[in-house]
Amino acid sequence: MSELKRIFLVDDSSRDIELTLAALEEHHLANEVVVARDGAQALDYLRRRGEYTQRPDGNPAVILLDIKMPKVDGMEVLRTIRGDEKLKLIPVVMLTSSREDRDLVESYRLGVNAYVVKPVDFDQFVRAVSEVGLFWAILNEPPPGTIGRNI
Amino acid sequence: MLERLSKISGLAVISIGLLTVAGWLVDSRMMTAWIADSLPMAPNTGIAFTLLGLALWSLSSKAVPTPVIPRIFSLLPLTLVLPRIVEYLFRVDLGVDGWLIQAPAGIRTGTEIGRMGFFTAFCFVLASLALLTSTLPMPRRFIESIAGVSSVALIGIGLLFSFGYLFTSPLFSAVTTIPLAFNTAIAFLILGLGTILALLSDRVAGQFPSAFDAKLRRLHRFIVTGFGLAFAAVLVISIISYENTTQLVESTRLVAHTYRVLAEAEGIISTMKGIESASRGYALSADTSFLRTYREGTAAIWDQFRILRQLTMDNPKQQERLERLEKILQSKVDFSRTVVELIQQNNLRQGQELIRGGRGRVEMDSIKALLHRFEADERQLLEMRMQDRESNIQKTIVTFTLLSVFVMILLGIFYVVIERSLVDRQKSEEGLKSAAREIEDLYNNAPCGYHSLDHEGRFVRINDTELAWLGYTQNEVLGKMRFTDLLTSSSFATFQENFPKFREQGHIEGLEFEVRRKDGSTFWVMLSATAVVDESGRYLRSRSTMFDISERKRAEATIRRLAAIVDSTNDAVIGKSLDGIVTSWNRGAVALFGYPTEEMIGKSITTVFPPEHVDQIKTTLDRIGSGAHISHYETRCLRKDGRILEVSVTISPIRDAAGTIVGVSTIARDMTSLKESQRKLEALNKELEQKTSELEFVNKELEAFSYSVSHDLRAPLRHINGFVDLLRKQAEPHLDEISRRHLEIITKSATHMGQLIDDLLVFSRMSRKDLVKGEVDLNTLVKEVVKLLEMETKDRSIEWNIGTLPTVRGDLAMLRMVFVNLLSNAVKYTRTRPHAVIEIGSRIEETGERVVWVKDNGVGFDMNYVHKLFGVFQRLHLADEFEGTGIGLATVQRIIQRHGGRVWAEGTIDQGATLYCAFPSQEKESP
């Protein structure tokens, strides 16, 4: 079995994080899931700053990014990633409650790879999250030389 | 002045006449003859003068109003004069001169004293004629001809004879032999002068014809005067010739008489000699042959003597001689007889002795001497008569020659004057002809039409200009066409109405007619005419001028149109002079300012301005006067009722054809209400702006709210669902049926709420989202939606009846939502039907609206609650019966409304429902 790719989940809601992790678990996706609770923390992690200076090398296989967050929101994070030479190749999937057109348009304009609205219905939610995880963390082949290895 | 002189002349003549009559009555030669030892005026002549003097006085006197009195006075003398002429001509004695006053008989130079002379009588006829003519109502020319010639002749005669009395000259001494008394001549002179004066004054009736100008009148008077003088001269010549010839004949007769007397005297001598010698011879020879001679002598001698005595009857001296001669003759004859008888008795010796006695010779000698003396007397008389005759002939020749020369001079002057007037006339005729040609040219080629119409309206003259206008030739028109033949029917009526009026009043001006040319085209003319009438005022023909006014008519039509435009506008259009006096005031002005037109014309425009604006108006007018133009200048005016108006005025100069500024045009628009609305609009705008900003704010809030809702409301639901599911999975084996059902309800409620939120977000998005319009074929759209619904309906029996649907302009995504809602509703509410029938159709309303309906045979609804059907969260069915959020139809309604259409529904419980969507007509929706 090949090395499991890392999934980077950015969400401010602990419940959503729990549910998302539950949904990933449901489908037995054993990939490492790194969680950041807001945009600032996410960027710190990605740039190995602050508390993450010691984290292992390499970019996650996919970033699941919520939009509405305190401090630095999802859009800002996305814009920063796409503007950063080291980060811009990372696939980013918007996982959000908003189905507002302006969020959709803005996200795609900033170069998002996918946009998933979190369904209210849990079954559907589980299906959506696991499918996203399955696709990006397992099926999708990331750009070479970007993924860090578990040591 | 003339009248007074004429009247004085009349009175003078009366005085002369009455003086004469009085003179006869008192037997004063001074009063009748004036000049001693001259011919007196006859009593009848005096009476005639008195009457003619009265005639002249009454003719000239204003006190006598009627011409009948002078007429009678001028006729009365003829009762004395005409019988006298008859006496002369027929050599009868009617005793006319003794009818009234018996004058003592007497003869002076062959004229009977106290009897009216032939010449006098003739002059009276002239005078009577002159005065009578002056009283008659005849043309002035005729009166002046007759009365003037007669009067001038009287003046001439009067002058000639009175001068003849006063001066001695060969002519006048001859003239004095004419039987006309000095005072008669003077009276005729005065009478003639008086009549002339009366003629020259206005007392004489009659007028000169208008053609008699001053020049012609002078010529006429000259001719009258000259003719009168010539007439007088010829009259005098003929009378003098008559009188002198009569005298010549008389003197010739007397000469012959004298010769006869002489001859008879010689005859007596000769007879006596015969008797003497016969008696002597017989006595000596006794020869009886001597006896025959003797007897013849004695038989003739007394006859001869008687004749001689008769011949000299008028000569007493000779008669006395003849008486003596008779005695001697008797004695001689007796002696001879005695001798003869003695011889016969044979007493020869005795007889011879008697003879020798010598008595016979003595007697014979005394007879001879007596007769010679007699003859000498006769010869002397003869000599005298011969001289008389010679002198008469001489005088006649002189008179005749002088008067003939006078007449010839007169004729010469006449010739010259008449010749000159003829030349003048010739010249003026030539002038007239060329003038006539010029006038003809003017007539024909004048820049206007001329024609003349007779009393029936037929053309009798027409000029070339008019013919050219009409396209006819003169021959086609004159005498053949009436003016009415040229007129259109409306103009015909005008003519019929005005022509009789024109003939009656004699003139007409400015009539307008529409006239048809020969080629059928028409044009407008203006006609003015005056009438030509005869002396009695009867209409003969017209003098009409015609002007082509088509251009003016067109201009008038334009002006009328413009005026109508000016009058129809609600703006006040005002014309005024440069000093601000109103010259025109349209209906808009009346309405705006409240002043009627007739009140404002002539008034100053300042009337409609508040007093404080007056100076400004003057400045404005000055600016306009120098060519400025003021547009949409806003000012305040004063209505008649005192209300202040806000007006916008445009002021421009009015220029004439030459470009000179002659007035000012003002167009004023009432801005009062506009201003008011503007103010209201501004206020509303402000309010609107405020509302808009409020709305924008609210919208933003709403957006933020929606955003929050979509994020923050769904998150908890998701969590509820998620954790309930997790709970169920973990606690499933430990849960009883009730707990499991509770968890189920929690999940369903959360899911339903999620649905509600989603629908609500859609609804709000539909309200806010911009429409992206395009052509949407509803047939395709509906088919697509039906297909979409197939998933839900595959285990149901549904009959779709889809008619032909229109293509509308709209937002495809929104319209899809409309039909998704409508069709899924239909599907949902027919769920209880074993066989559902859903009909989708369309129709076009009269207004052009395209109505699409969706009809089902489902559960229907109560029409009482139809108003709730399209409300948000409004539901007519229990959620348990039919699931749903109650937002679908509200969304439908919102979308259709945003497309400019409307929705409504019809339904009956258990009978199905029909939902209608009306799209606006294509024209309305297009922009």
Side-chain angles (χ1 to χ4, degrees):
Chain A
M1 187 173 171
S2 68
E3 201 175 334
L4 287 172
K5 292 160 198 166
R6 206 183 313 145
I7 293 170
F8 185 37
L9 175 65
V10 186
D11 203 326
D12 62 322
S13 164
S14 57
R15 287 162 195 166
D16 271 336
I17 291 168
E18 198 178 338
L19 285 175
T20 306
L21 292 176
L24 289 172
E25 215 165 291
E26 188 103 335
H27 279 82
H28 314 288
L29 287 172
N31 300 51
E32 183 193 359
V33 176
V34 181
V35 175
R37 295 297 298 273
D38 60 47
Q41 202 183 10
L43 288 174
D44 280 353
Y45 173 82
L46 286 172
R47 287 176 170 167
R48 299 173 70 191
R49 292 183 311 202
E51 56 182 303
Y52 296 106
T53 45
Q54 299 305 311
R55 78 157 175 94
D57 196 10
N59 288 334
V62 65
I63 303 174
L64 302 177
L65 188 60
D66 190 13
I67 291 176
K68 201 167 173 265
M69 288 183 297
K71 295 184 190 168
V72 180
D73 70 7
M75 288 299 174
E76 195 57 47
V77 173
L78 178 60
R79 191 176 295 115
T80 310
I81 291 170
R82 290 298 182 234
D84 189 320
E85 273 304 311
K86 286 180 183 165
L87 308 176
K88 69 178 179 189
L89 293 177
I90 306 170
V92 178
V93 174
M94 286 298 189
L95 189 64
T96 173
S97 304
S98 166
R99 55 175 68 193
E100 291 295 310
D101 284 351
R102 57 173 185 169
D103 285 343
L104 272 159
V105 169
E106 183 68 9
S107 302
Y108 280 112
R109 204 175 60 76
L110 290 174
V112 82
N113 296 78
Y115 191 103
V116 178
V117 178
K118 298 173 191 165
V120 171
D121 185 271
F122 184 67
D123 284 343
Q124 287 173 24
F125 180 80
V126 167
R127 207 178 309 134
V129 169
S130 58
E131 275 169 11
V132 165
L134 190 65
F135 178 79
W136 290 104
I138 294 169
L139 294 177
N140 189 43
E141 209 50 58
T146 58
I147 307 292
R149 316 246 179 252
N150 283 331
I151 300 160
Chain B
M1 184 64 193
L2 294 173
E3 279 172 35
R4 186 178 299 170
L5 284 174
S6 171
K7 228 158 84 179
I8 292 169
S9 308
L11 291 173
V13 173
I14 295 170
S15 312
I16 295 172
L18 289 176
L19 186 71
T20 307
V21 173
W24 281 108
L25 291 175
V26 300
D27 200 14
S28 158
R29 278 308 271 284
M30 266 313 288
M31 287 163 74
T32 54
W34 296 10
I35 297 173
D37 200 26
S38 78
L39 190 66
M41 191 193 285
N44 273 3
T45 307
I47 292 164
F49 272 130
T50 308
L51 293 169
L52 287 174
L54 277 168
L56 179 56
W57 176 82
S58 56
L59 178 69
S60 314
S61 173
K62 283 192 180 109
V64 181
T66 161
V68 176
I69 291 171
R71 207 174 292 165
I72 290 169
F73 279 128
S74 55
L75 281 170
L76 273 178
L78 294 177
T79 55
L80 297 174
V81 170
L82 291 179
R84 184 78 187 107
I85 289 172
V86 169
E87 279 186 342
Y88 269 106
L89 291 178
F90 299 101
R91 299 194 182 282
V92 289
D93 191 354
L94 302 171
V96 178
D97 294 291
W99 282 358
L100 297 169
I101 295 168
Q102 188 62 58
I107 286 184
R108 189 195 160 274
T109 51
T111 304
E112 289 167 283
I113 288 175
R115 302 203 68 182
M116 191 190 284
F118 179 67
F119 191 58
T120 310
F122 196 81
C123 287
F124 273 127
V125 173
L126 279 183
S128 184
L129 189 64
L131 284 164
L132 179 64
T133 324
S134 303
T135 65
L136 294 178
M138 287 188 295
R140 183 66 174 256
R141 205 174 108 206
F142 186 74
I143 293 175
E144 274 202 11
S145 299
I146 304 272
V149 167
S150 309
S151 306
V152 171
L154 285 178
I155 293 168
I157 290 164
L159 273 175
L160 205 61
F161 286 99
S162 47
F163 272 93
Y165 273 103
L166 295 175
F167 306 99
T168 317
S169 76
L171 168 62
F172 294 126
S173 66
V175 164
T176 50
T177 61
I178 302 301
L180 193 69
F182 174 65
N183 44 5
T184 308
I186 294 287
F188 276 132
L189 174 61
I190 297 171
L191 196 61
L193 279 171
T195 313
I196 289 283
L197 291 170
L199 279 177
L200 295 177
S201 74
D202 290 336
R203 292 298 296 168
V204 174
Q207 290 291 317
F208 275 109
S210 53
F212 251 60
D213 58 5
K215 200 174 159 193
L216 205 55
R217 205 180 299 187
R218 263 202 311 282
L219 182 68
H220 182 251
R221 284 187 177 153
F222 175 81
I223 290 173
V224 164
T225 312
F227 191 73
L229 290 175
F231 189 70
V234 170
L235 202 65
V236 170
I237 289 172
S238 50
I239 291 294
I240 288 175
S241 301
Y242 172 77
E243 291 288 338
N244 284 354
T245 308
T246 312
Q247 281 182 20
L248 194 64
V249 168
E250 177 65 16
S251 59
T252 307
R253 190 185 62 81
L254 286 174
V255 168
H257 175 78
T258 310
Y259 279 122
R260 199 177 156 198
V261 169
L262 286 174
E264 288 297 328
E266 283 300 313
I268 288 171
I269 291 172
S270 155
T271 306
M272 285 313 291
K273 271 185 184 165
I275 291 169
E276 168 68 16
S277 59
S279 60
R280 190 180 295 239
Y282 186 55
L284 292 177
S285 65
D287 187 351
T288 54
S289 66
F290 284 106
L291 278 178
R292 196 167 52 91
T293 308
Y294 165 77
R295 283 196 194 103
E296 277 172 4
T298 52
I301 190 73
W302 294 111
D303 281 347
Q304 286 180 321
F305 180 77
R306 207 168 46 250
I307 287 167
L308 189 61
R309 195 158 66 187
Q310 234 167 10
L311 284 173
T312 56
M313 274 293 270
D314 58 340
N315 195 334
K317 195 178 165 193
Q318 301 286 60
Q319 287 285 319
E320 183 251 342
R321 274 201 188 107
L322 287 178
E323 264 171 47
R324 275 196 288 143
L325 180 66
E326 189 181 13
K327 283 178 190 137
I328 299 168
L329 280 178
Q330 193 65 53
S331 159
K332 177 70 178 104
V333 169
D334 286 350
F335 172 75
S336 293
R337 192 175 62 226
T338 312
V339 170
V340 169
E341 276 170 1
L342 283 170
I343 302 300
Q344 277 174 331
Q345 287 155 12
N346 289 321
N347 268 333
L348 281 172
R349 228 184 39 145
Q350 206 179 348
Q352 284 168 349
E353 264 181 37
L354 270 175
I355 287 169
R356 274 187 214 106
R359 181 187 150 194
R361 186 164 293 152
V362 173
E363 280 179 347
M364 197 60 208
D365 284 347
S366 65
I367 287 170
K368 274 186 187 166
L370 199 64
L371 275 175
H372 280 138
R373 272 201 303 284
F374 181 89
E375 281 180 1
D377 259 22
E378 281 298 318
R379 284 220 168 80
Q380 201 186 343
L381 203 60
L382 180 66
E383 185 70 15
M384 231 171 66
R385 280 178 179 159
M386 287 294 270
Q387 266 175 15
D388 247 16
R389 202 177 78 151
E390 197 62 29
S391 140
N392 259 344
I393 288 170
Q394 198 61 36
K395 285 170 186 169
T396 306
I397 287 169
V398 169
T399 311
F400 197 84
T401 308
L402 282 175
L403 287 173
S404 297
V405 167
F406 177 66
V407 168
M408 275 192 280
I409 289 169
L410 270 182
L411 283 176
I413 295 171
F414 262 27
Y415 175 78
V416 170
V417 169
I418 289 171
E419 173 70 14
R420 191 173 296 164
S421 90
L422 273 177
V423 169
D424 273 2
R425 206 183 158 117
Q426 179 81 20
K427 273 186 196 158
S428 68
E429 256 172 31
E430 271 166 23
L432 277 176
K433 265 183 206 162
S434 83
R437 270 194 302 275
E438 268 172 45
I439 288 166
E440 184 72 20
D441 178 66
L442 278 179
Y443 180 84
N444 269 327
N445 299 315
C448 64
Y450 286 125
H451 65 244
S452 293
L453 303 179
D454 65 9
H455 66 285
E456 288 178 316
R458 222 192 307 269
F459 282 102
V460 292
R461 278 206 79 175
I462 184 163
N463 78 338
D464 292 348
T465 307
E466 191 171 329
L467 285 169
W469 285 351
L470 296 171
Y472 287 101
T473 64
Q474 205 162 39
N475 289 337
E476 290 172 311
V477 176
L478 291 189
K480 291 171 193 153
M481 286 178 77
R482 287 161 198 264
F483 187 59
T484 48
D485 297 339
L486 297 171
L487 298 178
T488 59
S489 54
S490 61
S491 288
F492 181 79
T494 314
F495 184 85
Q496 294 295 87
E497 184 189 331
N498 285 290
F499 192 57
K501 215 190 290 173
F502 160 64
R503 277 190 316 203
E504 197 175 308
Q505 69 189 17
H507 61 91
I508 202 141
E509 271 116 49
L511 283 185
E512 293 181 2
F513 294 105
E514 195 179 11
V515 171
R516 184 167 281 122
R517 294 192 187 88
K518 195 182 182 184
D519 63 13
S521 59
T522 62
F523 65 111
W524 276 93
V525 298
M526 190 178 77
L527 211 79
S528 294
T530 51
V532 181
V533 295
D534 65 8
E535 280 166 10
S536 56
R538 214 172 49 220
Y539 174 88
L540 291 178
R541 61 184 181 274
S542 71
R543 286 178 285 237
S544 317
T545 58
M546 190 197 249
F547 289 92
D548 183 347
I549 56 165
S550 309
E551 206 52 51
R552 203 193 78 196
K553 278 275 172 188
R554 270 195 287 279
E556 274 176 4
T558 307
I559 287 169
R560 261 200 302 280
R561 214 162 44 237
L562 291 176
I565 291 169
V566 166
D567 225 32
S568 64
T569 177
N570 284 329
D571 290 351
V573 180
I574 303 160
K576 57 196 187 228
S577 62
L578 280 172
D579 51 1
I581 300 303
V582 173
T583 53
S584 71
W585 189 257
N586 77 336
R587 273 219 304 263
V590 174
L592 181 59
F593 295 110
Y595 288 98
T597 306
E598 56 277 10
E599 196 174 320
M600 272 313 286
I601 297 285
K603 263 197 191 162
S604 171
I605 191 68
T606 53
T607 313
V608 297
F609 282 97
E612 64 269 20
H613 280 24
V614 170
D615 285 344
Q616 193 191 334
I617 291 162
K618 291 210 172 93
T619 326
T620 308
L621 285 173
D622 286 346
R623 277 181 60 202
I624 299 295
S626 53
H629 175 94
I630 296 169
S631 286
H632 306 299
Y633 169 71
E634 292 190 3
T635 183
R636 290 146 79 85
C637 285
L638 195 60
R639 254 184 79 89
K640 194 182 184 185
D641 57 17
R643 238 167 64 209
I644 292 285
L645 297 168
E646 308 240 15
V647 294
S648 161
V649 289
T650 295
I651 312 172
S652 345
I654 301 172
R655 293 171 194 272
D656 64 9
T660 313
I661 297 171
V662 293
V664 180
S665 108
T666 301
I667 300 171
R669 178 167 295 178
D670 185 5
M671 303 294 281
T672 314
S673 54
L674 194 68
K675 284 263 164 185
E676 191 65 29
S677 345
Q678 229 167 30
R679 273 194 290 275
K680 275 184 193 162
L681 197 67
E682 271 164 26
L684 282 173
N685 263 340
K686 216 167 254 176
E687 207 176 315
L688 191 67
E689 259 169 45
Q690 205 175 338
K691 284 266 163 70
T692 307
S693 66
E694 273 172 31
L695 200 65
E696 266 169 25
F697 180 75
V698 169
N699 257 343
K700 269 193 190 121
E701 291 276 283
L702 190 66
E703 234 164 274
F705 173 74
S706 304
Y707 194 70
S708 299
V709 165
S710 65
H711 254 92
D712 302 345
L713 286 188
R714 267 147 45 108
L717 291 173
R718 200 164 55 243
H719 300 156
I720 294 169
N721 264 351
F723 288 102
V724 165
D725 205 62
L726 290 177
L727 176 65
R728 201 163 40 204
K729 276 176 187 156
Q730 285 164 12
E732 180 93 63
H734 315 289
L735 290 178
D736 56 8
E737 192 59 29
I738 294 170
S739 299
R740 235 180 275 145
R741 202 174 65 82
H742 286 170
L743 286 176
E744 184 77 10
I745 289 170
I746 293 169
T747 305
K748 273 193 176 167
S749 296
T751 307
H752 181 64
M753 188 163 175
Q755 190 65 46
L756 276 175
I757 291 166
D758 280 351
D759 284 358
L760 206 55
L761 282 173
V762 166
F763 174 71
S764 96
R765 207 181 300 128
M766 285 307 129
S767 306
R768 286 180 288 124
K769 205 186 122 187
D770 288 336
L771 291 181
V772 182
K773 279 196 173 178
E775 295 296 321
V776 178
D777 182 0
L778 296 184
N779 294 300
T780 317
L781 183 64
V782 166
K783 270 176 205 152
E784 192 186 309
V785 174
V786 169
K787 201 157 199 164
L788 208 77
L789 293 172
E790 259 173 17
M791 286 282 282
E792 295 177 38
T793 59
K794 55 190 175 199
D795 49 356
R796 283 189 46 195
S797 162
I798 298 177
E799 181 185 339
W800 295 95
N801 292 331
I802 305 174
T804 308
L805 302 177
T807 297
V808 298
R809 212 176 146 68
D811 187 316
L812 175 63
M814 289 194 184
L815 291 178
R816 182 183 287 122
M817 186 150 303
V818 167
F819 283 97
V820 166
N821 270 304
L822 291 177
L823 298 190
S824 57
N825 268 356
V827 168
K828 182 162 72 184
Y829 293 109
T830 52
R831 194 187 293 151
T832 54
R833 297 288 182 264
H835 181 71
V837 178
I838 301 172
E839 183 189 312
I840 304 157
S842 75
R843 63 165 188 260
I844 296 179
E845 295 282 293
E846 275 176 27
T847 56
E849 270 183 329
R850 276 131 337 137
V851 176
V852 177
W853 70 82
V854 177
K855 185 178 179 184
D856 62 55
N857 61 340
V859 293
F861 60 89
D862 183 349
M863 277 300 271
N864 286 327
Y865 303 110
V866 72
H867 59 281
K868 289 193 168 179
L869 207 57
F870 295 98
V872 179
F873 299 136
Q874 297 287 347
R875 302 209 60 209
L876 299 182
H877 300 278
L878 289 173
D880 289 350
E881 282 178 281
F882 295 100
E883 74 289 341
T885 54
I887 299 176
L889 284 181
T891 306
V892 166
Q893 186 181 39
R894 178 59 52 90
I895 290 171
I896 294 298
Q897 277 174 351
R898 289 200 67 195
H899 280 78
R902 59 202 175 90
V903 293
W904 69 97
E906 284 167 4
T908 322
I909 291 176
D910 274 341
Q911 299 282 313
T914 310
L915 280 130
Y916 297 88
C917 295
F919 293 91
S921 67
Q922 263 151 340
E923 303 90 70
K924 278 185 187 168
E925 72 179 14
S926 51

